[in-house]
Structures are given as structure tokens and as C-alpha cells.
Amino acid sequence: TEQLVLLKKMLKCSVCQDRYKNVVITKCFHTFCKECIDDNLRTRHRKCPGCGKSFGQDDVRSIYL
């Protein structure tokens, strides 16, 4: 049961702590939910929430877990 809780935590977006990760920033390979990254792009805050590396729309790719 403890392992399941840990796995679920790893799969959740580190920004909103809610939705499951479904996109990756290809420059740094950090993963987040699409909604959080879309918010970053829309507000022109184009730095990775994980490491601060700059990214653009072309650096965001969908992933399937």
C-alpha cells in the first residue's frame, strides 16, 4: 500500500499536485500536466517549473504512461 501511494505521488504533476503528468519539456525532460504547461505558455512564463530552464511551445511533447 505504501508503494502504491508513492507511485501515485510520482505520477502527479508537481505544479498543481492534482492531475496526472501527460506532457514533457524536451529540453530538460521534466514532466507536468498539460494544463499547467499550457498556463505557463499562455502567460509567457516560459521557464520549466522544475529547473527554470527556458522552453517554448515546440519543446512540449505529449507522453503516454
Side-chain angles (χ1 to χ4, degrees), residues 12-58:
K12 298 259 180 168
C13 175
S14 62
V15 175
C16 66
Q17 298 296 316
D18 186 32
R19 296 177 290 266
Y20 287 101
K21 300 174 181 178
N22 55 10
V23 297
V24 65
I25 298 173
T26 58
K27 283 190 170 184
C28 58
F29 298 101
H30 288 119
T31 56
F32 306 95
C33 69
K34 182 169 177 18
E35 291 84 354
C36 287
I37 294 304
D38 286 347
D39 285 345
N40 277 25
L41 290 169
R42 186 173 39 259
T43 61
R44 299 198 179 273
H45 185 260
R46 297 177 180 196
K47 293 193 185 258
C48 173
C51 66
K53 190 169 189 170
S54 296
F55 73 95
Q57 179 67 48
D58 292 339

